[in-house]
Amino acid sequence: MKVSLVGSGYVGLVTGACFAEKGHDVVCVDNDTAKVSMLKSGQIPIYEPGLQELLRKNVDAGRLRFTDSTEEGTRHAQILFIAVPTPPHEDGSVDLSFIESVTRTVAGALGKYTIIADKSTVPVKTGEKVAETIRRYNRTKSDFDVVSNPEFLREGSAIADLMNPDRIVIGVMDERPVPLLRELYAPFDCRNMIITDINSAEMIKHASNSFLALKISYANALAAICEASGADVRQVVQGMGLDRRIGAQFLNAGIGYGGSCFPKDLAAFIKIAEQLGYDFQLLKEVQRINSNALDRFLKRLRTELWVLKDKTIGVLGLAFKPNTDDVRNAPSLELIRRMQAEGARVRVYDPRAMEKARAELKDLVCCKDAYEAARGCEALLLTTEWDEFRKLDLQRLKTEMLHPLVLDGRNLFDPVQMAGLGFVYRAVGQSSPPSK
Ligand code: UDX
Ligand code: UDX
């Protein structure tokens, strides 16, 4: 089947690569000509495990190509996906100008029946606006259908998420596009494909991401109570998660959620609800707990070091989560900015995200590994739970430090082992010192 994706960012590239891998004939479009040249030369601007290899394999097989022409993508496609950014305005509402301008270009280039599928995360009722816009600019009066097909990829495991999805959601205005969409997804494991109306599909994405963020904030609220009471949040969520109605995932307390989706999608969903006449207090509280998680972490650091001015502090992890180089809304970056504002000197190490973080922060001392980052530090903060950090030689790490204080923002280390090694160890939702 002939598929185009407009917007070769994270979502567009992963989706394009997976469709091609399943045998479809794919064109990835991007209006950034430098990015298209880079992609044509076999390079990608992001780190995602397996993605570069998958793209290369499918380009070589003739199932995938890149262009900067949306018109060319439109002419190629039986199904055209829109995967351009939907960034937030200052007040949290969604900037739909990229979607709108792509829609106009696509409408002007239509020459045959085409399904236009929205993959970007958009407010409910956007599909209706897209359809209206296409009708207005559709010079050839070609037939078309607009559908919503939200993505649920997680960075770091995006290919596996798409190849074996929990569910595929397709929102339609009528039944006509359904057979082609079923054909598109036939090579995937799509036992859980659901067909909904288009407004519901759009809302499923915001509702899902907000619910996952809510779970994380619930765990972070529990962490605050655990720290004060002597309970251990890791044990509490383990006990909760065994109840299948609750589930164990997304209950890890830490320094809060970040990334390009949760913060933006929560703000958007709150705004959408407000515009529809509902005050979504519950989600406002989720946001408050999330920023409070970072505040509490910093407060704990201050409790230990008293003042941060002129202290050398090491930070392990810059990416908003492991297995990505993405630092968009990474809690670690916010933490570093605040520590620097208080006069601390910050040494950092991340296996992948150093280059992108350097573009966002100034006065960073970037180190070649965790040991170098720990050198001469009065405190070491663990902010992203990379596997590499699980395997550290902790004894060696300790000898590098001026003072063996570790604040673990992702509960990666074993408190008993850390205490045994002579660290002053503080973790989220665990009272200190740890009990045996
Ligand atoms: C994007 C949206 O931000 C998100 O809301 C949605 O769920 C999926 O698509 P992502 O792929 O992470 O997420 O965005 P990004 O990495 O910023 O990539 C978007 C790409 O679109 C960029 O490469 C940009 O150059 C391109 N683009 C932007 C176009 O091709 N045309 C435009 O008009 C605007
Ligand atoms: C999220 C959704 O999971 C995905 O379905 C959607 O398509 C895009 O948004 P992503 O942002 O890539 O994916 O990462 P995710 O794994 O959801 O993590 C988001 C943030 O939550 C990270 O900062 C992570 O560290 C944090 N998190 C996650 C926690 O703090 N605790 C947890 O238990 C889980």
Side-chain angles (χ1 to χ4, degrees):
M1 181 163 291
K2 290 182 184 301
V3 180
S4 293
L5 292 114
V6 181
S8 300
Y10 186 80
V11 172
L13 285 179
V14 172
T15 313
C18 291
F19 282 151
E21 178 67 12
K22 294 292 186 185
H24 297 305
D25 180 5
V26 178
V27 170
C28 285
V29 182
D30 204 283
N31 67 353
D32 179 342
T33 47
K35 188 180 270 189
V36 172
S37 305
M38 185 185 194
L39 291 166
K40 281 182 172 170
S41 74
Q43 304 299 310
I44 57 171
I46 47 173
Y47 170 71
E48 174 67 29
L51 182 57
Q52 183 146 7
E53 297 76 11
L54 200 65
L55 286 168
R56 198 168 288 162
K57 177 182 165 201
N58 283 285
V59 168
D60 289 348
R63 290 189 293 264
L64 178 62
R65 63 194 163 86
F66 304 101
T67 176
D68 59 8
S69 163
T70 302
E71 288 84 353
E72 185 185 334
T74 308
R75 285 192 295 273
H76 169 80
Q78 291 169 278
I79 305 180
L80 178 138
F81 286 91
I82 300 178
V84 292
T86 46
H89 286 301
E90 193 82 351
D91 66 353
S93 64
V94 183
D95 176 356
L96 292 166
S97 58
F98 296 121
I99 301 255
E100 196 268 352
S101 84
V102 165
T103 303
R104 271 188 283 126
T105 311
V106 169
L110 281 180
K112 58 175 184 332
Y113 171 72
T114 309
I115 296 173
I116 291 112
D118 178 37
K119 250 199 193 302
S120 297
T121 305
V122 293
V124 59
K125 292 172 120 34
T126 299
E128 291 175 3
K129 289 280 177 205
V130 168
E132 249 173 54
T133 306
I134 293 180
R135 270 192 291 277
R136 196 170 309 139
Y137 294 93
N138 183 354
R139 282 181 290 107
T140 58
K141 303 286 172 230
S142 302
D143 258 353
F144 70 92
D145 280 303
V146 173
V147 307
S148 166
N149 177 210
E151 51 75 23
F152 303 101
L153 310 176
R154 284 166 305 171
E155 296 190 20
S157 57
I159 292 170
D161 284 349
L162 208 151
M163 291 298 201
N164 302 294
D166 281 349
R167 81 294 210 190
I168 294 166
V169 175
I170 312 259
V172 295
M173 293 180 182
D174 60 51
E175 287 298 305
R176 177 168 66 171
V178 173
L180 270 185
L181 288 158
R182 285 198 189 282
E183 196 181 324
L184 175 75
Y185 280 108
F188 294 80
D189 182 5
C190 58
R191 278 165 295 181
N192 289 331
M193 179 184 268
I194 65 163
I195 308 287
T196 67
D197 65 82
I198 193 159
N199 291 334
S200 300
E202 289 167 341
M203 199 172 315
I204 285 169
K205 177 62 191 277
H206 273 127
S208 300
N209 272 2
S210 299
F211 189 77
L212 291 169
L214 181 149
K215 281 189 90 175
I216 298 168
S217 278
Y218 191 81
N220 282 324
L222 292 177
I225 305 170
C226 287
E227 279 165 30
S229 67
D232 181 336
V233 75
R234 295 169 310 159
Q235 295 180 28
V236 175
V237 298
Q238 188 191 11
M240 288 169 59
L242 288 171
D243 183 332
R244 272 176 296 178
R245 294 170 303 172
I246 297 174
Q249 294 191 56
F250 281 70
L251 280 178
N252 294 323
I255 52 171
Y257 59 77
S260 68
C261 290
F262 284 178
K264 156 174 95 75
D265 291 350
L266 249 85
F269 204 26
I270 289 168
K271 197 71 198 170
I272 292 161
E274 183 190 309
Q275 284 160 354
L276 294 167
Y278 182 74
D279 182 5
F280 218 144
Q281 291 277 359
L282 178 66
L283 294 185
K284 291 178 186 167
E285 189 57 14
V286 169
Q287 289 178 316
R288 194 195 62 77
I289 294 169
N290 196 56
S291 55
N292 183 253
L294 199 70
D295 296 343
R296 286 193 303 107
F297 191 69
L298 199 54
K299 190 170 162 207
R300 247 176 146 187
L301 179 67
R302 283 198 213 99
T303 304
E304 297 294 336
L305 294 184
W306 189 17
V307 281
L308 303 191
K309 189 165 184 295
D310 296 331
K311 299 276 163 63
T312 302
I313 297 168
V315 173
L316 300 185
L318 296 166
F320 83 100
K321 63 181 283 191
N323 296 321
T324 176
D325 63 352
D326 198 342
V327 295
R328 288 178 284 180
N329 294 308
S332 57
L333 266 54
E334 175 63 16
L335 190 65
I336 291 168
R337 277 190 203 100
R338 290 208 218 163
M339 292 191 300
Q340 286 180 330
E342 292 185 33
R345 287 183 295 269
V346 182
R347 299 170 67 81
V348 301
Y349 171 68
D350 185 286
R352 294 278 175 182
M354 228 113 76
E355 205 181 308
K356 287 194 173 156
R358 224 195 303 247
E360 300 286 326
L361 297 167
K362 41 184 193 327
D363 301 328
L364 272 190
V365 180
C366 292
C367 302
K368 71 171 189 334
D369 59 26
Y371 305 106
E372 195 180 296
R375 197 158 300 156
C377 284
E378 278 136 290
L380 191 62
L381 316 183
L382 188 293
T383 45
T384 314
E385 66 279 32
W386 284 93
D387 245 355
E388 181 177 323
F389 298 151
R390 285 178 220 279
K391 299 168 193 152
L392 284 172
D393 176 345
L394 296 170
Q395 191 66 58
R396 185 178 157 202
L397 200 70
K398 187 170 159 241
T399 57
E400 296 285 359
M401 297 180 69
L402 188 67
H403 175 63
L405 168 65
V406 170
L407 265 80
D408 186 346
R410 296 294 180 187
N411 289 349
L412 186 84
F413 298 121
D414 173 7
V416 177
Q417 188 197 8
M418 293 300 277
L421 286 166
F423 281 100
V424 178
Y425 178 71
R426 303 287 178 255
V428 177
Q430 302 170 45
S431 57
S432 36
S435 55
K436 292 237 174 200

